[in-house]
Amino acid sequence: MKRTSHEQHYLLSAKARSFSLMDIARLADDEAWELFKEARWPEGVACPKCDHKEHYWLGTRKQWRCKCCKHTFSVTSGSIFSNHKLPLNTYLMAIALYSNCAKGMSALQLSRDLNVQYKTAFVLSHKMRESLMDAQTAKLDDEVEIDAAYVNGHVRPANHIANRVDRRKKENQDPNKRAVLVLRERHENEGEGGFKTVTAIAKAETEESVEAFVARHVEPGTTISADESNAYNSLHAKFKMERVNHSVEYVAKCGANTNQAESFFSRFRRMQLGQVHRFGNLYLDRYANEAAYREDTRRKSNGAIFADVIGRCGAAKVSREFCGYWQGNKKQAETLI
Ligand SMILES: [Zn+2]
């Protein structure tokens, strides 16, 4: 089906309730190019350098030249897929596979599905994760839940009882242990669950890390629900607090609960155990944010998620952390609150 340039691709339209991988696989090169262009610039092609909207079209090279700054750019220039080596179709397929996996996807599986090298799939999936990170600037208000869970801290007990140590003591714990903190705003319609989720990584669930996290994301006047952990005690000075004691009950008599935050951790754990297996601390913030994105989009059609992720991949700037990854340009330090 031929479309005129101003018509929206059906995969991007609100009517696209779902799509199949076959739809993507059947796209010819120029259709994949068109789809990517529309997702990247829904308001019309704009220069990635100066955002100017007037340009010359260099047809034979499939590029534009900005009338303002004279910058020459292609459909992927300045996006996370700039200098791409694979056909655009393969990237769209990667986004489609990634959007369809409600519990995340391992790089190994992606490499098998796309028939690309493992390292290509690894960088690709991290670039997609990176494009979702803008959710981390969100401000939450109204009713918010906070919770934390530990990862990478499991110390296997020694075989013989005589060799076992007290794993509760700090000196016997794994130094890689990290706390994943989550804040979720509840939907105003009861029953719709959480809908805006932010995450952060800390060395431990403490008053200091919790205060820094809350200060970054929570508006004054918000009601915060938390469990009985001492880390949340200092929040009483600034916010209206609802507490639930999980060793006694999951929903307090007053209705206080952290069920939406628990729901996030449930998905996060299934992503860890079932797909990614190992959450390295270097990129732990990315995995936590990915689980948050998937949790927040759980009621959207896969077509809508697909369109959203392509839009983000197009809008995201060249990946600083994964540009030239295999030439030695690696992220140096983990991101802690
Ligand atoms: Zn320009």
Side-chain angles (χ1 to χ4, degrees), residues 207-233:
E207 283 194 328
E208 292 75 37
S209 60
V210 164
E211 274 180 41
F213 184 40
V214 167
R216 186 185 290 178
H217 293 290
V218 183
E219 301 280 10
T222 301
T223 303
I224 301 180
S225 300
D227 64 21
E228 70 279 18
S229 161
N230 290 337
Y232 307 117
N233 290 349

PDB file of all heavy atoms in Angstrom, residues 207-233:
ATOM      1  N   GLU A 207      18.049   6.327  55.780  1.00  0.00           N
ATOM      2  CA  GLU A 207      17.335   7.609  55.787  1.00  0.00           C
ATOM      3  C   GLU A 207      17.952   8.573  54.771  1.00  0.00           C
ATOM      4  O   GLU A 207      17.236   9.300  54.087  1.00  0.00           O
ATOM      5  CB  GLU A 207      17.363   8.224  57.194  1.00  0.00           C
ATOM      6  CG  GLU A 207      16.384   7.555  58.129  1.00  0.00           C
ATOM      7  CD  GLU A 207      16.153   8.356  59.418  1.00  0.00           C
ATOM      8  OE1 GLU A 207      17.104   9.036  59.878  1.00  0.00           O
ATOM      9  OE2 GLU A 207      15.029   8.290  59.937  1.00  0.00           O
ATOM     10  N   GLU A 208      19.282   8.562  54.657  1.00  0.00           N
ATOM     11  CA  GLU A 208      19.961   9.492  53.742  1.00  0.00           C
ATOM     12  C   GLU A 208      19.573   9.198  52.284  1.00  0.00           C
ATOM     13  O   GLU A 208      19.218  10.110  51.535  1.00  0.00           O
ATOM     14  CB  GLU A 208      21.492   9.393  53.879  1.00  0.00           C
ATOM     15  CG  GLU A 208      22.054   9.899  55.193  1.00  0.00           C
ATOM     16  CD  GLU A 208      21.793   8.926  56.353  1.00  0.00           C
ATOM     17  OE1 GLU A 208      21.860   7.693  56.123  1.00  0.00           O
ATOM     18  OE2 GLU A 208      21.499   9.396  57.465  1.00  0.00           O
ATOM     19  N   SER A 209      19.677   7.920  51.878  1.00  0.00           N
ATOM     20  CA  SER A 209      19.383   7.610  50.471  1.00  0.00           C
ATOM     21  C   SER A 209      17.909   7.852  50.167  1.00  0.00           C
ATOM     22  O   SER A 209      17.564   8.371  49.096  1.00  0.00           O
ATOM     23  CB  SER A 209      19.798   6.175  50.125  1.00  0.00           C
ATOM     24  OG  SER A 209      19.120   5.245  50.931  1.00  0.00           O
ATOM     25  N   VAL A 210      17.032   7.517  51.103  1.00  0.00           N
ATOM     26  CA  VAL A 210      15.599   7.720  50.897  1.00  0.00           C
ATOM     27  C   VAL A 210      15.282   9.210  50.785  1.00  0.00           C
ATOM     28  O   VAL A 210      14.547   9.645  49.889  1.00  0.00           O
ATOM     29  CB  VAL A 210      14.789   7.065  52.042  1.00  0.00           C
ATOM     30  CG1 VAL A 210      13.362   7.582  52.072  1.00  0.00           C
ATOM     31  CG2 VAL A 210      14.798   5.545  51.887  1.00  0.00           C
ATOM     32  N   GLU A 211      15.883  10.021  51.661  1.00  0.00           N
ATOM     33  CA  GLU A 211      15.627  11.476  51.614  1.00  0.00           C
ATOM     34  C   GLU A 211      16.077  12.080  50.285  1.00  0.00           C
ATOM     35  O   GLU A 211      15.376  12.900  49.686  1.00  0.00           O
ATOM     36  CB  GLU A 211      16.332  12.190  52.772  1.00  0.00           C
ATOM     37  CG  GLU A 211      15.497  12.188  54.038  1.00  0.00           C
ATOM     38  CD  GLU A 211      16.211  12.900  55.186  1.00  0.00           C
ATOM     39  OE1 GLU A 211      16.837  13.950  54.929  1.00  0.00           O
ATOM     40  OE2 GLU A 211      16.141  12.392  56.316  1.00  0.00           O
ATOM     41  N   ALA A 212      17.250  11.680  49.818  1.00  0.00           N
ATOM     42  CA  ALA A 212      17.760  12.218  48.551  1.00  0.00           C
ATOM     43  C   ALA A 212      16.844  11.821  47.391  1.00  0.00           C
ATOM     44  O   ALA A 212      16.538  12.635  46.513  1.00  0.00           O
ATOM     45  CB  ALA A 212      19.172  11.697  48.301  1.00  0.00           C
ATOM     46  N   PHE A 213      16.389  10.602  47.410  1.00  0.00           N
ATOM     47  CA  PHE A 213      15.515  10.080  46.349  1.00  0.00           C
ATOM     48  C   PHE A 213      14.164  10.816  46.351  1.00  0.00           C
ATOM     49  O   PHE A 213      13.681  11.267  45.301  1.00  0.00           O
ATOM     50  CB  PHE A 213      15.333   8.584  46.592  1.00  0.00           C
ATOM     51  CG  PHE A 213      14.533   7.851  45.550  1.00  0.00           C
ATOM     52  CD1 PHE A 213      14.684   8.130  44.200  1.00  0.00           C
ATOM     53  CD2 PHE A 213      13.653   6.843  45.919  1.00  0.00           C
ATOM     54  CE1 PHE A 213      13.956   7.425  43.240  1.00  0.00           C
ATOM     55  CE2 PHE A 213      12.931   6.131  44.975  1.00  0.00           C
ATOM     56  CZ  PHE A 213      13.077   6.428  43.633  1.00  0.00           C
ATOM     57  N   VAL A 214      13.588  10.963  47.539  1.00  0.00           N
ATOM     58  CA  VAL A 214      12.288  11.630  47.658  1.00  0.00           C
ATOM     59  C   VAL A 214      12.412  13.110  47.269  1.00  0.00           C
ATOM     60  O   VAL A 214      11.555  13.658  46.578  1.00  0.00           O
ATOM     61  CB  VAL A 214      11.720  11.445  49.089  1.00  0.00           C
ATOM     62  CG1 VAL A 214      10.549  12.392  49.334  1.00  0.00           C
ATOM     63  CG2 VAL A 214      11.285   9.995  49.292  1.00  0.00           C
ATOM     64  N   ALA A 215      13.503  13.747  47.694  1.00  0.00           N
ATOM     65  CA  ALA A 215      13.693  15.170  47.371  1.00  0.00           C
ATOM     66  C   ALA A 215      13.744  15.382  45.863  1.00  0.00           C
ATOM     67  O   ALA A 215      13.283  16.386  45.344  1.00  0.00           O
ATOM     68  CB  ALA A 215      14.974  15.685  48.013  1.00  0.00           C
ATOM     69  N   ARG A 216      14.296  14.419  45.152  1.00  0.00           N
ATOM     70  CA  ARG A 216      14.443  14.563  43.709  1.00  0.00           C
ATOM     71  C   ARG A 216      13.090  14.440  42.983  1.00  0.00           C
ATOM     72  O   ARG A 216      12.873  15.058  41.950  1.00  0.00           O
ATOM     73  CB  ARG A 216      15.400  13.488  43.187  1.00  0.00           C
ATOM     74  CG  ARG A 216      15.725  13.644  41.707  1.00  0.00           C
ATOM     75  CD  ARG A 216      16.573  12.521  41.189  1.00  0.00           C
ATOM     76  NE  ARG A 216      17.932  12.549  41.710  1.00  0.00           N
ATOM     77  CZ  ARG A 216      18.847  11.620  41.421  1.00  0.00           C
ATOM     78  NH1 ARG A 216      18.548  10.608  40.647  1.00  0.00           N
ATOM     79  NH2 ARG A 216      20.062  11.709  41.915  1.00  0.00           N
ATOM     80  N   HIS A 217      12.183  13.623  43.525  1.00  0.00           N
ATOM     81  CA  HIS A 217      10.996  13.270  42.738  1.00  0.00           C
ATOM     82  C   HIS A 217       9.641  13.647  43.333  1.00  0.00           C
ATOM     83  O   HIS A 217       8.658  13.669  42.600  1.00  0.00           O
ATOM     84  CB  HIS A 217      10.970  11.755  42.484  1.00  0.00           C
ATOM     85  CG  HIS A 217      12.063  11.282  41.595  1.00  0.00           C
ATOM     86  ND1 HIS A 217      12.100  11.576  40.251  1.00  0.00           N
ATOM     87  CD2 HIS A 217      13.181  10.557  41.844  1.00  0.00           C
ATOM     88  CE1 HIS A 217      13.188  11.036  39.715  1.00  0.00           C
ATOM     89  NE2 HIS A 217      13.857  10.425  40.657  1.00  0.00           N
ATOM     90  N   VAL A 218       9.557  13.852  44.647  1.00  0.00           N
ATOM     91  CA  VAL A 218       8.220  13.981  45.241  1.00  0.00           C
ATOM     92  C   VAL A 218       7.891  15.433  45.558  1.00  0.00           C
ATOM     93  O   VAL A 218       8.665  16.138  46.200  1.00  0.00           O
ATOM     94  CB  VAL A 218       8.094  13.097  46.506  1.00  0.00           C
ATOM     95  CG1 VAL A 218       6.676  13.195  47.066  1.00  0.00           C
ATOM     96  CG2 VAL A 218       8.420  11.651  46.177  1.00  0.00           C
ATOM     97  N   GLU A 219       6.715  15.875  45.077  1.00  0.00           N
ATOM     98  CA  GLU A 219       6.263  17.250  45.303  1.00  0.00           C
ATOM     99  C   GLU A 219       5.776  17.416  46.744  1.00  0.00           C
ATOM    100  O   GLU A 219       5.254  16.469  47.335  1.00  0.00           O
ATOM    101  CB  GLU A 219       5.093  17.572  44.361  1.00  0.00           C
ATOM    102  CG  GLU A 219       5.401  17.438  42.879  1.00  0.00           C
ATOM    103  CD  GLU A 219       6.142  18.632  42.294  1.00  0.00           C
ATOM    104  OE1 GLU A 219       6.596  19.503  43.075  1.00  0.00           O
ATOM    105  OE2 GLU A 219       6.285  18.683  41.060  1.00  0.00           O
ATOM    106  N   PRO A 220       5.899  18.643  47.291  1.00  0.00           N
ATOM    107  CA  PRO A 220       5.367  18.887  48.634  1.00  0.00           C
ATOM    108  C   PRO A 220       3.847  18.632  48.653  1.00  0.00           C
ATOM    109  O   PRO A 220       3.188  18.780  47.629  1.00  0.00           O
ATOM    110  CB  PRO A 220       5.642  20.380  48.869  1.00  0.00           C
ATOM    111  CG  PRO A 220       6.651  20.771  47.848  1.00  0.00           C
ATOM    112  CD  PRO A 220       6.508  19.843  46.694  1.00  0.00           C
ATOM    113  N   GLY A 221       3.338  18.221  49.808  1.00  0.00           N
ATOM    114  CA  GLY A 221       1.896  17.992  49.922  1.00  0.00           C
ATOM    115  C   GLY A 221       1.463  16.588  49.538  1.00  0.00           C
ATOM    116  O   GLY A 221       0.283  16.251  49.595  1.00  0.00           O
ATOM    117  N   THR A 222       2.442  15.751  49.143  1.00  0.00           N
ATOM    118  CA  THR A 222       2.134  14.374  48.743  1.00  0.00           C
ATOM    119  C   THR A 222       1.955  13.481  49.971  1.00  0.00           C
ATOM    120  O   THR A 222       2.605  13.703  50.994  1.00  0.00           O
ATOM    121  CB  THR A 222       3.301  13.841  47.884  1.00  0.00           C
ATOM    122  OG1 THR A 222       3.451  14.689  46.763  1.00  0.00           O
ATOM    123  CG2 THR A 222       3.066  12.412  47.424  1.00  0.00           C
ATOM    124  N   THR A 223       1.066  12.503  49.853  1.00  0.00           N
ATOM    125  CA  THR A 223       0.944  11.478  50.899  1.00  0.00           C
ATOM    126  C   THR A 223       1.790  10.281  50.493  1.00  0.00           C
ATOM    127  O   THR A 223       1.651   9.777  49.379  1.00  0.00           O
ATOM    128  CB  THR A 223      -0.518  11.021  51.051  1.00  0.00           C
ATOM    129  OG1 THR A 223      -1.315  12.175  51.330  1.00  0.00           O
ATOM    130  CG2 THR A 223      -0.662  10.005  52.166  1.00  0.00           C
ATOM    131  N   ILE A 224       2.678   9.850  51.395  1.00  0.00           N
ATOM    132  CA  ILE A 224       3.580   8.737  51.058  1.00  0.00           C
ATOM    133  C   ILE A 224       3.249   7.517  51.907  1.00  0.00           C
ATOM    134  O   ILE A 224       3.132   7.611  53.128  1.00  0.00           O
ATOM    135  CB  ILE A 224       5.058   9.139  51.279  1.00  0.00           C
ATOM    136  CG1 ILE A 224       5.412  10.360  50.414  1.00  0.00           C
ATOM    137  CG2 ILE A 224       5.979   7.975  50.948  1.00  0.00           C
ATOM    138  CD1 ILE A 224       6.849  10.826  50.564  1.00  0.00           C
ATOM    139  N   SER A 225       3.085   6.373  51.257  1.00  0.00           N
ATOM    140  CA  SER A 225       2.885   5.111  51.964  1.00  0.00           C
ATOM    141  C   SER A 225       4.192   4.339  51.988  1.00  0.00           C
ATOM    142  O   SER A 225       4.871   4.237  50.956  1.00  0.00           O
ATOM    143  CB  SER A 225       1.826   4.260  51.266  1.00  0.00           C
ATOM    144  OG  SER A 225       0.610   4.950  51.233  1.00  0.00           O
ATOM    145  N   ALA A 226       4.511   3.794  53.157  1.00  0.00           N
ATOM    146  CA  ALA A 226       5.770   3.057  53.294  1.00  0.00           C
ATOM    147  C   ALA A 226       5.586   1.925  54.288  1.00  0.00           C
ATOM    148  O   ALA A 226       4.622   1.920  55.063  1.00  0.00           O
ATOM    149  CB  ALA A 226       6.869   4.002  53.773  1.00  0.00           C
ATOM    150  N   ASP A 227       6.527   0.978  54.256  1.00  0.00           N
ATOM    151  CA  ASP A 227       6.446  -0.105  55.241  1.00  0.00           C
ATOM    152  C   ASP A 227       7.128   0.330  56.543  1.00  0.00           C
ATOM    153  O   ASP A 227       7.422   1.512  56.744  1.00  0.00           O
ATOM    154  CB  ASP A 227       7.010  -1.410  54.667  1.00  0.00           C
ATOM    155  CG  ASP A 227       8.496  -1.305  54.347  1.00  0.00           C
ATOM    156  OD1 ASP A 227       9.174  -0.425  54.907  1.00  0.00           O
ATOM    157  OD2 ASP A 227       8.978  -2.114  53.524  1.00  0.00           O
ATOM    158  N   GLU A 228       7.413  -0.631  57.421  1.00  0.00           N
ATOM    159  CA  GLU A 228       7.856  -0.304  58.771  1.00  0.00           C
ATOM    160  C   GLU A 228       9.355   0.019  58.878  1.00  0.00           C
ATOM    161  O   GLU A 228       9.841   0.331  59.953  1.00  0.00           O
ATOM    162  CB  GLU A 228       7.504  -1.466  59.715  1.00  0.00           C
ATOM    163  CG  GLU A 228       8.317  -2.749  59.502  1.00  0.00           C
ATOM    164  CD  GLU A 228       7.817  -3.625  58.356  1.00  0.00           C
ATOM    165  OE1 GLU A 228       7.059  -3.121  57.486  1.00  0.00           O
ATOM    166  OE2 GLU A 228       8.206  -4.801  58.310  1.00  0.00           O
ATOM    167  N   SER A 229      10.082  -0.053  57.738  1.00  0.00           N
ATOM    168  CA  SER A 229      11.532   0.176  57.796  1.00  0.00           C
ATOM    169  C   SER A 229      11.870   1.550  58.383  1.00  0.00           C
ATOM    170  O   SER A 229      11.236   2.556  58.063  1.00  0.00           O
ATOM    171  CB  SER A 229      12.116   0.068  56.389  1.00  0.00           C
ATOM    172  OG  SER A 229      13.377   0.690  56.342  1.00  0.00           O
ATOM    173  N   ASN A 230      12.921   1.583  59.231  1.00  0.00           N
ATOM    174  CA  ASN A 230      13.346   2.842  59.861  1.00  0.00           C
ATOM    175  C   ASN A 230      13.796   3.887  58.843  1.00  0.00           C
ATOM    176  O   ASN A 230      13.818   5.077  59.143  1.00  0.00           O
ATOM    177  CB  ASN A 230      14.519   2.585  60.814  1.00  0.00           C
ATOM    178  CG  ASN A 230      14.068   1.809  62.028  1.00  0.00           C
ATOM    179  OD1 ASN A 230      12.873   1.835  62.381  1.00  0.00           O
ATOM    180  ND2 ASN A 230      14.992   1.092  62.654  1.00  0.00           N
ATOM    181  N   ALA A 231      14.169   3.425  57.655  1.00  0.00           N
ATOM    182  CA  ALA A 231      14.683   4.350  56.632  1.00  0.00           C
ATOM    183  C   ALA A 231      13.660   5.417  56.265  1.00  0.00           C
ATOM    184  O   ALA A 231      14.030   6.464  55.737  1.00  0.00           O
ATOM    185  CB  ALA A 231      15.098   3.562  55.383  1.00  0.00           C
ATOM    186  N   TYR A 232      12.371   5.159  56.524  1.00  0.00           N
ATOM    187  CA  TYR A 232      11.339   6.115  56.111  1.00  0.00           C
ATOM    188  C   TYR A 232      10.900   7.047  57.237  1.00  0.00           C
ATOM    189  O   TYR A 232      10.054   7.909  57.027  1.00  0.00           O
ATOM    190  CB  TYR A 232      10.121   5.361  55.547  1.00  0.00           C
ATOM    191  CG  TYR A 232      10.507   4.391  54.449  1.00  0.00           C
ATOM    192  CD1 TYR A 232      10.321   3.017  54.588  1.00  0.00           C
ATOM    193  CD2 TYR A 232      11.110   4.860  53.287  1.00  0.00           C
ATOM    194  CE1 TYR A 232      10.716   2.137  53.593  1.00  0.00           C
ATOM    195  CE2 TYR A 232      11.512   3.988  52.289  1.00  0.00           C
ATOM    196  CZ  TYR A 232      11.315   2.624  52.452  1.00  0.00           C
ATOM    197  OH  TYR A 232      11.719   1.773  51.463  1.00  0.00           O
ATOM    198  N   ASN A 233      11.473   6.859  58.432  1.00  0.00           N
ATOM    199  CA  ASN A 233      10.999   7.635  59.584  1.00  0.00           C
ATOM    200  C   ASN A 233      11.161   9.140  59.409  1.00  0.00           C
ATOM    201  O   ASN A 233      10.290   9.911  59.799  1.00  0.00           O
ATOM    202  CB  ASN A 233      11.727   7.186  60.860  1.00  0.00           C
ATOM    203  CG  ASN A 233      11.277   5.788  61.273  1.00  0.00           C
ATOM    204  OD1 ASN A 233      10.307   5.258  60.734  1.00  0.00           O
ATOM    205  ND2 ASN A 233      11.990   5.180  62.222  1.00  0.00           N
TER     206      ASN A 233
END
